[in-house]
Amino acid sequence: IISDDGNGLDLEGLQKLLSFGYNDKAERFKGTIGRYGNGFKSGSMRLGKDAMVFTRHRDPGTTMSVGLLSQTFLEKIGAQEVLIPMVSWDKETGEPVSENAQKNIDLLVKYSPLGNEDSLKLMLQRLLGHGTIIVIYNLRTQDDGSLELDFETDPYDIRLRGVGNGPAG
């Protein structure tokens, strides 16, 4: 779980974050690795098969949203293209404001670890006003079944299992 108490994203911002190839900073990143707009997607999918983004926008009268970037979901439905279920609710009323909201809520509930709409909203409430929580799960494993990421060796760092022994490792 990665979280912050930043400005959060509105639905348009979440759609941009989860859209492959979107980059509104292309000129600033010209000639660098960040210019393609795929960093979050490829980085999170390298760590695990699934990622959920929960975000609450800072501005009053705006939204709280959830999106699911999931290889597991795509495999289970036999998708031929990348589909990313997401939904947005009005922060004040709790009413869905995004297109196809109920269909996306149903997909989020069915293909995520959270079993109902209230659980999705409960995660959003953890943001205490605004910010973003990213949950990456179904983490990658090695051939022996152990996680690729080593959470135990160093209590202050997450490392690739078996890579380096010292601080510079």
Side-chain angles (χ1 to χ4, degrees):
I1 296 175
I2 303 151
S3 65
D4 70 36
D5 62 352
N7 290 331
L9 300 167
D10 59 10
L11 180 60
E12 181 181 351
L14 182 62
Q15 289 170 332
K16 289 175 181 178
L17 173 71
L18 296 177
S19 295
F20 283 87
Y22 178 82
N23 182 2
D24 63 354
K25 304 171 197 137
E27 193 58 37
R28 191 169 49 155
F29 287 104
K30 191 173 186 174
T32 69
I33 196 167
R35 70 182 176 270
Y36 297 112
N38 293 323
F40 171 75
K41 281 75 68 178
S42 60
S44 60
M45 293 297 98
R46 172 60 188 91
L47 297 174
K49 291 186 74 165
D50 308 291
M52 290 189 78
V53 178
F54 300 85
T55 188
R56 288 173 60 97
H57 198 270
R58 174 185 297 269
D59 293 340
T62 56
T63 58
M64 53 186 188
S65 307
V66 179
L68 175 66
L69 182 62
S70 172
Q71 292 176 19
T72 304
F73 161 64
L74 296 174
E75 289 167 4
K76 285 185 177 178
I77 66 167
Q80 298 298 309
E81 60 184 349
V82 177
L83 303 172
I84 303 171
M86 61 183 78
V87 65
S88 191
W89 295 271
D90 181 280
K91 280 193 330 188
E92 307 298 323
T93 67
E95 293 298 315
V97 295
S98 54
E99 193 174 315
N100 299 313
Q102 193 56 56
K103 177 181 176 183
N104 284 309
I105 290 168
D106 293 344
L107 290 171
L108 288 165
V109 166
K110 183 173 182 178
Y111 293 102
S112 81
L114 301 174
N116 57 51
E117 183 177 357
D118 289 338
S119 296
L120 298 171
K121 289 181 176 178
L122 187 59
M123 280 294 289
L124 289 163
Q125 297 305 319
R126 294 180 66 182
L127 288 164
L128 303 177
H130 53 83
T132 302
I133 296 172
I134 299 168
V135 180
I136 300 173
Y137 57 102
N138 288 326
L139 298 177
R140 302 288 177 185
T141 58
Q142 297 180 323
D143 291 339
D144 67 1
S146 63
L147 291 176
E148 282 186 352
L149 296 175
D150 177 356
F151 294 94
E152 293 87 26
T153 300
D154 185 337
Y156 303 104
D157 197 7
I158 301 168
R159 299 176 180 216
L160 285 175
R161 190 168 303 283
V163 176
N165 294 321

